[in-house]
Amino acid sequence: MGGTRRWTSAAGALASVLALVAAPGQPAHGQAGRCGDPAERPWCATGLAPDARAGLLLQAMTVDEKIALLAADDPMGGPLGGFLETAHADTNNGIPRLGIPPLYMADGPAGVRQGKATALPAPIALAAGFDPEMAHRYGQVVGWEARHRGNDVIFGPTVDVLRTPRNGRTFEGFGEDPHLAAGLGAAWIRGAQSQRVRTVHL
């Protein structure tokens, strides 16, 4: 049972990576795009369902290639990620032979942390407004800045509910109320994803 869950999770992760390949203005199903020619790489056919594409891709991958997608490849992403305009929080080099593109990630539950960026209010202050529309706009700003800094994924929002005020990252969340955190978190996510970035909820 555990093995089935692990492979299901792997398929979901691959489906998410493949979704990044389908950028606006790309050719329709059956034509070559960022991923490659579907005649040579059937998982590149954007007309197929994400699960079907992931299944085809998994069959073509080696064990080493599957493992390679589980870790970052940029040694500067950890210590320098977020402090320089050109340093992502994490980077995965992808798998060129299969058409899996590099994946660039930014930290950002309280705004993009990559060089100079908009100084947004702390999310705990956003939560004090009880305003899902404002949370949506907050997510849009973070998503737009992340995307225009070359990122595919943003680490945020923080949707863990506050359990102890001694947590040093309490300000990045939406407080102790699960209903409020869920509602604002969902609105934030929709706003960020509207800018064509994936979100990783903390």
Side-chain angles (χ1 to χ4, degrees):
M1 186 68 174
T4 301
R5 281 198 297 267
R6 282 196 295 273
W7 284 115
T8 301
S9 298
L14 284 171
S16 181
V17 170
L18 284 169
L20 295 171
V21 171
Q26 280 203 321
H29 171 56
Q31 296 179 318
R34 180 181 172 193
C35 175
D37 186 347
E40 299 174 2
R41 298 171 175 164
W43 53 86
C44 293
T46 57
L48 295 177
D51 285 347
R53 296 179 68 192
L56 291 168
L57 181 55
L58 280 170
Q59 294 175 33
M61 296 176 73
T62 67
V63 172
D64 285 345
E65 287 170 338
K66 292 171 184 174
I67 293 171
L69 292 181
L70 300 177
D73 295 312
D74 182 2
M76 306 308 286
L80 295 179
F83 295 101
L84 303 177
E85 293 284 344
T86 55
H88 303 278
D90 274 308
T91 301
N92 185 283
N93 291 336
I95 304 173
R97 85 169 183 91
L98 298 175
I100 298 177
L103 192 66
Y104 300 107
M105 297 159 267
D107 197 10
V112 175
R113 190 171 65 89
Q114 186 177 349
K116 295 180 180 178
T118 301
L120 294 166
I124 193 73
L126 171 66
F130 293 84
D131 189 342
E133 176 58 31
M134 190 59 67
H136 186 273
R137 291 175 64 186
Y138 193 113
Q140 281 183 313
V141 171
V142 175
W144 189 92
E145 290 200 5
R147 187 68 177 172
H148 284 78
R149 291 169 188 272
N151 295 287
D152 303 296
V153 177
I154 185 77
F155 297 148
T158 297
V159 292
D160 272 349
V161 295
L162 171 63
R163 294 179 177 86
T164 169
R166 292 172 294 180
N167 177 5
R169 302 186 74 169
T170 291
F171 71 94
E172 291 184 346
F174 300 121
E176 71 278 10
D177 184 85
H179 181 74
L180 179 63
L184 295 185
W188 195 110
I189 290 164
R190 285 192 292 269
Q193 291 184 353
S194 74
Q195 304 303 304
R196 295 193 58 77
V197 294
R198 295 292 183 267
T199 54
V200 176
H201 321 135
L202 310 172

